[in-house]
Amino acid sequence: MEIGTLTEKSLHAALKLHYCSDAAYHEVPVAGGLADICVDGVPIEIQTGNLNALKKKLARYRRADVSPVRVIVPLIRKKRIIRTDPESGECTQRISPRHGQPWDVLYELSHITNELCDPCLCLTLVEVDVDEYRINDGTPRGKRTDRILTAYGREFPLNCTSDFSVMLPAALPEPFTCADFARATRVRPRRASAGLYVLRTVGTIRGEKDGRKILYYRTDTERHENESADVK
C-alpha cells in the first residue's frame, strides 16, 4: 500500500491514474508534504472533497515558491445512486435527476477565493459520471460509502477572468440580481451570494448598486461592446 492511499476513495484514485498513469509520480514529497501527483516539479492536487482543505496545501506551496500548482476538481455530471440495506442486503438503484453544471462548484470555490487570484494556480474542472454507493443508516439520504468513476466528460480550465464565464447560465438577464442568479442556478440565496462574490473577485462580473439591490453585469459582454464601438 502506497503512503497516503490507505484511506483513499475510488474516485480520487481513478482521477489520479487518469492524470498520471505512472504510480511512481504519485504521493511525491513536495514542500514538506505529499503531492497527489508531481511530474517535472509541477504538483497536481486532486480535490474531491471540501476545497477548504486545500488552503493549507496551497499556502505551503506558496511559502516554498513552488509554481505552478495544478488543481483538478471533479464536477459530477451524472450520478447513479446504489443503496444497500445492511440488514437485508437488498439493493436499490436510481438515477439522480440532477445533472451537474459548472456553477455548482462556485460555493466550494468561495472557500479559496483569495487563492483563485494567484497566477501560479492552474485550476481545472472535469466532468465525471459516477456510481455512488450508500448504505441505509436511518437517515433519508443514507451514508455515502464510495463513488466509482464510470465516464469522463468535458474539462473546464479556470485560469483567467473569461474562463469563469461558463459559471453564468445563458438564461440570466443582463443585468441580473442575486435572486435571478439563485433561480437560474437552483441554489439557495446564501450560496448564490457566495458564488457571485467569487465571480466578482475574479473579475467575471461587476456589481452596481441600484437602490437596495445590486445589479450584476458580465464584464466580457461589456468588453465586446466597447471593442465594437471602437471599430465603428
Side-chain angles (χ1 to χ4, degrees), residues 1 32 36 57 62 65 67 70-71 83 93 97 113-114 141 147 174 177 185 202 211 217 225:
M1 181 72 69
D36 288 330
K57 274 193 173 184
R62 204 161 45 241
D65 202 24
S67 173
R70 289 194 67 195
V71 176
R83 189 161 173 164
Q93 298 184 18
T113 303
N114 293 334
R141 291 177 57 85
R147 290 179 293 180
E174 182 74 14
T177 64
T185 57
V202 299
Y217 297 82
E225 288 175 348

Side-chain angles (χ1 to χ4, degrees), residues 56-73:
K56 287 184 178 180
K57 274 193 173 184
L58 293 177
R60 190 174 67 240
Y61 288 138
R62 204 161 45 241
R63 287 194 300 269
D65 202 24
V66 175
S67 173
V69 177
R70 289 194 67 195
V71 176
I72 309 298
V73 178

